[in-house]
Amino acid sequence: FLVKRVNESMGAPKGGYAGMTYIGCLDIFGFEIFKHNSFEQLCINFTNEMLQQHFNKETFKKEQKLYASEGINVAKIEYIDNQPIIDLISKKTRSFTGLLTILHDELAIPGGSDQGFFDKMKKNFKGKIKAFGTPKDRPECFRITHYAGKVFYDHRGFLEKNNDNLAEDVVQLLRSTTNPMLQTLYPKKEVVSSSATARTSLGKQFNDQLKSLMKTLNKTQPHYVRCVKPNEAKAKVLFEPRNCFEQLTYSGVFEAVAIRKQGFPFRLSHAEFAERYALIAEMDPKSAPAVKVCKGIISNMNFPEENIQIGKTKVLYRAAEYRKLELDWSIKMKHKTINDNLETMSKADTSGMGKAEKEKFFMKLAKNVREADIFKLDSPAAEKSRQMLERYMEERMDPATKKRLKKAYKAMDKHKLQEVLDYCEQEGFVTDMTRKCTELLNQICDADEALEYAVSKGSEEFLTKALEMCDAFNYNKPNVQSARRLLTRIIRVKEEAAVAVQQGIEEQIRAVVTAAKEVHTVSTDIALLQNWLNMDREEFLGIMYAKAKACGHADRAIRIAIELKDIYVAKKKRSLDMNTYENLKDPTAWAKEAGFFAFNKKKIMEGMLVFQKNALHAPMTTNFGGGATGRDLKAIAKAAKHNFEVLKKFMGQAKTVRMPQRLDECFRSCAQHKGLRDELFIAIFKQTVANINPAAVNRAWEFLAICLAHFGPSLAFADYLEAFVRNGPPKFNLPGLLARRLYHGDVPWKPLEEVLGKDKNMYEKRMYTSGAHEKLLADIVNSLSSFQKPDYNSTNSTWQDLKEPL
């Protein structure tokens, strides 16, 4: 109704525009991507998908058609094809049902619902159509990846919004009206069906109307005007870059530009190209056919053939070539204008001029000479004009000004040069000396700007080039000297960064990163070091450990391993309880091994990992034998029980007069049968639990230190032992001894009996007191210094200079 009335008001014939040539204007809306999107946004975005496809194809076809008509060979132009998204929404075939059809069909199903529509979409599309998805964090939504980006639609309310039917009795009422306008909207000749399947949903109507629109558009020759809102407030003189960027992205402008850039976005006819750019090659555009002049210009510019081509009627070229052509054309035009002015003025006779007229003439000449100097114009007219002006200015310039110019020039003082040149410009003085001073001032300003920029960026490349600029005219002011020191520091930082990446010394890394921040410099190595420092401490130490090991820095690797295990044990302490060790025998089964005559099995079971005075009736681990069987297994079990007795004797809680011999037997057995090692470590743990004798417990820790000085645990038991040793006294740094042993492996046991013999002074009342192990412990204590971080200084590190003030 509205369209009809508007057309009538514009004088359209009653039959409409059918068969007539016309100009149509289609005002389209852009993609809508809100926080909450529903059926309305889907319809709008579907329309934009169709129009975007039409725009892309038209742009593509126009480009290809132009290149074909001009005989230009261009590689196939690629562009985003959004047909899969259009199919997802509207396609309907035997093998595929699109979203709108699923929505339409759900209306016809008794009991149809939003959830039913949602479930059918997921069944048909999820995991099959890349553009469709359902976000886990928004269970009520489905996602369609449109040309403009991802849009999340809330499925709730889709059916209600898609159902555009009035109640049947309401329609009948409206058709009984005598109002002309309502009769137009609801004509009596149409029959209304109450069948749900005969109803037309809003989505289907929309799809049909859109198809009709596209059919019309495909018959036209379209042109496009893109409108961009500079801000959401509709305010003047307010430009919001992000807002504009999103509009240009969603409307496909960037994609269109990308399509054009793949080809030749600039094109002029042969005659236009020759007429405009012949000046660059110093050719007369009328001296030869336009095509020949074009070839001469292109040859003079030395352009790559693939970036500029001569077609049948046009010259086609890319953006870089366009910028170079325009720049050279502008310079040539300026040269010509200046030279023409100077040529005219250099021929003037000033002898007959009055003082005021002469002054005015030379002021104008000075202006043109300055322009010639700026554009480095070297022509007979320019040189003659310079000489003419200099003679005049030399006559006018006072001695004091000449002296100031020479002094400022010699001092290379930017401020003094600027000051005296401002005065000369005010007085109209243009001489050889003012030109030299101007040139020097420009060099100084350029160098200072280059230095300032290079310093702000911390760029070795920029600083090197800026200092080369300074060296070219022997400029060495304090800022230049400071820049030299900065460049030296930057080079050092990068050198040290490369070393730090290889060595992985934390102090070195921190010194390098701090120094790099101070001089604002970056490099691949520096960025990597910074990334390491930003890591979780455990992850960072893992890298440092690998680096230390690769460099052969064993002591540093061991120190890092200690800290890594500190972190690990703190996080996993509960899971490293000795009772949970996988190779520990079941307490009940272990208690049964005490035999029939052993009373109170419950007490034995509960005391499995608790101090006991009695002999050990059986090994406590399942793997003590290391795979041995039969007699060999029995012999190893006997050794395990013997080692337990040696431990008790060493702790002064069992009698002996042969301590050196017993220690030799214990350590030889552990060297021969590695399964006995974990058994012995567990025995040490057991004898420290609920032991009321502090001296004995301390002796147990000493025994553990001696063990760790010679052998370590199995890999399966290592973490349990790591947790246990962190409860020991700091005197022997048991975590360090364990880390060292795991890193280096076993150390052979040196027999004690041959050296110490049967020294009765070692015993008191047949109890061992001292004499067999003190030297072993002294050697251990003397070795503990390697666990301390070194005090890095200039004698043992290469990065100390980076800590010094610049």
Side-chain angles (χ1 to χ4, degrees):
F1 172 79
L2 289 175
V3 172
K4 182 179 177 183
R5 290 298 301 269
V6 169
N7 286 341
E8 288 175 359
S9 69
M10 294 175 65
K14 291 184 178 180
Y17 290 102
M20 295 178 63
T21 300
Y22 67 93
I23 296 175
C25 181
L26 176 63
D27 185 8
I28 66 172
F29 29 67
F31 282 95
E32 289 189 353
I33 304 177
F34 302 135
K35 287 184 178 180
H36 183 268
N37 303 282
S38 189
F39 179 71
E40 308 92 299
Q41 281 70 46
L42 178 68
C43 292
I44 290 171
N45 292 338
F46 175 40
T47 304
N48 276 279
E49 291 288 359
M50 297 290 286
L51 294 172
Q52 189 66 52
Q53 184 186 61
H54 181 265
F55 172 73
N56 287 351
K57 286 183 177 178
E58 281 298 318
T59 304
F60 170 74
K61 284 194 295 185
K62 280 185 178 179
E63 290 293 298
Q64 295 292 64
K65 186 176 180 180
L66 173 65
Y67 299 142
S69 66
E70 290 293 326
I72 300 297
N73 292 321
V74 180
K76 183 180 178 181
I77 297 174
E78 300 292 341
Y79 66 96
I80 297 174
D81 185 7
N82 61 344
Q83 185 61 47
I85 302 159
I86 293 171
D87 290 346
L88 167 66
I89 298 172
S90 64
K91 186 176 180 179
K92 183 179 180 182
T93 63
R94 288 184 179 180
S95 59
F96 187 87
T97 304
L99 186 153
L100 287 178
T101 302
I102 293 174
L103 181 62
H104 177 76
D105 292 347
E106 189 68 20
L107 280 175
I109 299 173
S113 65
D114 289 327
Q115 189 60 45
F117 161 64
F118 193 38
D119 292 341
K120 289 183 177 67
M121 277 198 300
K122 288 190 285 186
K123 181 180 177 181
N124 284 17
F125 307 143
K126 192 173 181 181
K128 303 174 185 177
I129 308 296
K130 191 175 180 181
F132 180 89
T134 53
K136 292 181 179 179
D137 58 337
R138 300 175 69 179
E140 76 283 359
C141 291
F142 61 92
R143 182 258 307 155
I144 295 179
T145 304
H146 286 286
Y147 183 90
K150 295 180 181 179
V151 183
F152 296 92
Y153 297 98
D154 188 337
H155 77 279
R156 294 171 299 185
F158 260 60
L159 251 67
E160 182 181 351
K161 292 177 180 179
N162 189 42
N163 188 357
D164 192 38
N165 294 294
L166 289 173
E168 192 171 329
D169 55 347
V170 175
V171 175
Q172 293 291 1
L173 175 65
L174 290 169
R175 284 183 177 159
S176 65
T177 183
T178 56
N179 186 292
M181 185 187 79
L182 289 178
Q183 287 178 345
T184 304
L185 295 174
Y186 297 94
K188 292 182 179 181
K189 62 183 179 181
E190 290 187 6
V191 178
V192 178
S193 172
S194 60
S195 170
T197 56
R199 295 175 183 172
T200 301
S201 67
L202 189 61
K204 188 174 185 308
Q205 292 179 52
F206 192 88
N207 192 20
D208 292 343
Q209 291 172 4
L210 186 54
K211 286 179 181 177
S212 176
L213 171 64
M214 298 312 300
K215 187 176 180 181
T216 302
L217 286 177
N218 288 329
K219 296 177 181 178
T220 65
Q221 295 180 359
H223 299 272
Y224 302 91
V225 176
R226 294 290 184 185
C227 300
V228 178
K229 289 194 297 183
N231 60 76
E232 290 296 334
K234 300 179 181 178
K236 62 181 181 180
V237 198
L238 177 60
F239 177 78
E240 296 176 354
R242 186 68 195 175
N243 193 321
C244 297
F245 176 83
E246 288 178 352
Q247 290 177 73
L248 292 171
T249 300
Y250 298 160
S251 63
V253 170
F254 289 144
E255 182 67 19
V257 171
I259 291 172
R260 287 290 294 270
K261 285 175 71 177
Q262 289 179 54
F264 299 92
F266 296 91
R267 60 285 303 254
L268 287 176
S269 68
H270 296 158
E272 290 171 333
F273 190 87
E275 183 68 32
R276 182 164 183 80
Y277 298 122
L279 180 66
I280 298 173
E282 298 181 357
M283 298 174 68
D284 181 355
K286 307 296 183 185
S287 63
V291 173
K292 188 174 181 180
V293 176
C294 291
K295 290 180 178 178
I297 296 167
I298 294 169
S299 176
N300 179 268
M301 296 297 292
N302 198 27
F303 284 141
E305 185 177 341
E306 63 271 16
N307 287 350
I308 184 166
Q309 295 192 28
I310 299 176
K312 294 177 182 178
T313 65
K314 299 177 185 293
V315 179
L316 298 96
Y317 46 103
R318 295 197 163 110
E321 285 62 38
Y322 168 77
R323 289 193 294 270
K324 187 70 171 68
L325 284 165
E326 284 298 305
L327 177 62
D328 284 16
W329 178 83
S330 299
I331 293 172
K332 286 285 186 179
M333 281 298 294
K334 192 66 177 177
H335 277 194
K336 185 176 183 305
T337 302
I338 295 169
N339 196 66
D340 289 348
N341 291 339
L342 291 176
E343 195 165 340
T344 301
M345 297 190 76
S346 64
K347 294 175 182 178
D349 181 8
T350 60
S351 58
M353 294 181 183
K355 184 178 179 180
E357 185 183 0
K358 191 174 184 179
E359 183 80 16
K360 185 177 180 181
F361 172 83
F362 277 103
M363 289 292 285
K364 185 177 180 182
L365 180 63
K367 180 182 177 183
N368 282 278
V369 167
R370 276 195 296 272
E371 287 190 336
D373 291 342
I374 292 169
F375 284 90
K376 295 181 173 57
L377 180 60
D378 186 16
S379 68
E383 189 56 34
K384 185 178 179 181
S385 297
R386 288 189 182 101
Q387 293 172 2
M388 183 176 174
L389 180 64
E390 188 165 339
R391 286 194 299 271
Y392 175 73
M393 292 300 173
E394 283 288 345
E395 294 172 3
R396 290 183 67 246
M397 187 181 291
D398 59 282
T401 303
K402 292 178 183 179
K403 187 177 180 180
R404 286 175 65 194
L405 284 167
K406 289 179 181 179
K407 189 175 179 180
Y409 185 83
K410 185 177 180 181
M412 289 189 174
D413 189 308
K414 181 167 67 174
H415 300 294
K416 289 181 178 179
L417 283 167
Q418 187 65 62
E419 193 176 82
V420 69
L421 287 172
D422 287 345
Y423 175 76
C424 290
E425 184 176 4
Q426 180 183 328
E427 295 298 318
F429 296 149
V430 181
T431 66
D432 181 57
M433 194 61 194
T434 59
R435 278 196 293 276
K436 286 181 178 179
C437 286
T438 300
E439 184 179 350
L440 177 61
L441 178 61
N442 289 337
Q443 285 181 305
I444 292 172
C445 288
D446 289 345
D448 284 351
E449 286 180 11
L451 285 171
E452 184 179 356
Y453 182 77
V455 168
S456 70
K457 295 297 179 182
S459 167
E460 179 183 349
E461 179 187 358
F462 293 166
L463 278 168
T464 300
K465 290 180 179 178
L467 289 169
E468 286 174 355
M469 290 173 63
C470 298
D471 293 340
F473 64 102
N474 298 319
Y475 184 53
N476 197 32
K477 290 294 183 181
N479 63 325
V480 181
Q481 296 168 18
S482 176
R484 289 189 200 283
R485 292 193 296 272
L486 177 62
L487 177 59
T488 301
R489 175 61 64 88
I490 287 172
I491 293 171
R492 270 290 299 125
V493 169
K494 289 183 177 179
E495 288 174 350
E496 200 63 37
V499 177
V501 166
Q502 296 302 316
Q503 292 187 337
I505 300 174
E506 182 174 359
E507 290 78 359
Q508 181 184 30
I509 292 170
R510 293 191 182 281
V512 168
V513 170
T514 300
K517 288 179 179 177
E518 288 173 353
V519 296
H520 309 292
T521 193
V522 293
S523 71
T524 303
D525 288 334
I526 292 168
L528 179 59
L529 296 176
Q530 181 64 71
N531 185 47
W532 287 351
L533 291 178
N534 292 339
M535 287 178 177
D536 172 78
R537 181 68 180 171
E538 190 172 10
E539 188 179 1
F540 170 72
L541 288 172
I543 293 173
M544 297 303 98
Y545 178 80
K547 294 291 180 181
K549 194 172 181 180
C551 293
H553 296 171
D555 288 344
R556 182 159 60 89
I558 291 168
R559 288 195 298 271
I560 295 169
I562 294 169
E563 187 177 352
L564 274 169
K565 284 300 179 183
D566 285 342
I567 296 170
Y568 178 79
V569 169
K571 288 186 347 186
K572 302 284 187 177
K573 195 166 185 179
R574 289 186 179 180
S575 63
L576 296 177
D577 188 286
M578 198 66 73
N579 291 295
T580 64
Y581 176 46
E582 59 185 8
N583 292 320
L584 192 69
K585 287 181 179 177
D586 177 71
T588 304
W590 181 75
K592 286 181 180 179
E593 291 184 62
F596 178 78
F597 295 103
F599 299 107
N600 202 345
K601 295 283 195 311
K602 182 179 180 183
K603 186 176 180 181
I604 296 173
M605 177 184 69
E606 292 173 348
M608 181 176 179
L609 292 180
V610 179
F611 168 76
Q612 69 180 54
K613 293 180 181 180
N614 300 330
L616 194 71
H617 68 271
M620 295 175 284
T621 57
T622 59
N623 62 337
F624 71 92
T629 58
R631 290 182 179 179
D632 292 338
L633 182 62
K634 288 181 179 180
I636 297 171
K638 184 177 180 180
K641 292 185 282 185
H642 174 73
N643 289 346
F644 185 79
E645 289 303 308
V646 172
L647 171 61
K648 286 166 46 181
K649 291 170 182 178
F650 185 86
M651 293 171 66
Q653 294 187 304
K655 294 180 179 181
T656 183
V657 291
R658 302 287 298 274
M659 195 70 248
Q661 179 184 348
R662 299 295 172 250
L663 287 173
D664 289 346
E665 291 167 354
C666 176
F667 280 85
R668 274 198 300 266
S669 69
C670 287
Q672 186 178 359
H673 304 292
K674 293 186 177 181
L676 291 175
R677 299 176 181 185
D678 291 353
E679 183 74 28
L680 184 55
F681 289 133
I682 292 173
I684 295 170
F685 171 83
K686 172 183 174 67
Q687 293 303 92
T688 61
V689 177
N691 191 331
I692 61 174
N693 187 337
V697 172
N698 186 60
R699 191 60 73 80
W701 290 117
E702 291 177 354
F703 193 85
L704 178 57
I706 295 171
C707 289
L708 293 177
H710 292 85
F711 55 79
S714 67
L715 289 178
F717 185 65
D719 286 340
Y720 293 89
L721 189 56
E722 292 279 7
F724 175 51
V725 298
R726 279 163 174 77
N727 297 322
K731 179 180 178 181
F732 303 115
N733 198 334
L734 294 171
L737 293 176
L738 175 55
R740 180 191 286 164
R741 198 52 45 228
L742 291 172
Y743 188 87
H744 286 301
D746 295 353
V747 172
W749 174 260
K750 295 179 181 179
L752 295 176
E753 186 179 17
E754 297 174 10
V755 179
L756 301 175
K758 300 178 181 179
D759 186 352
K760 294 181 180 180
N761 294 323
M762 294 182 183
Y763 314 97
E764 185 177 328
K765 295 181 180 180
R766 296 178 60 83
M767 290 287 191
Y768 172 66
T769 57
S770 63
H773 71 286
E774 282 76 10
K775 187 177 184 308
L776 292 172
L777 291 178
D779 291 341
I780 290 170
V781 171
N782 289 335
S783 73
L784 297 182
S785 60
S786 65
F787 299 138
Q788 301 299 317
K789 280 189 177 182
D791 182 16
Y792 289 110
N793 52 56
S794 57
T795 61
N796 63 0
S797 64
T798 58
W799 61 86
Q800 297 304 313
D801 59 312
L802 300 183
K803 296 181 177 181
E804 297 172 1
L806 185 61

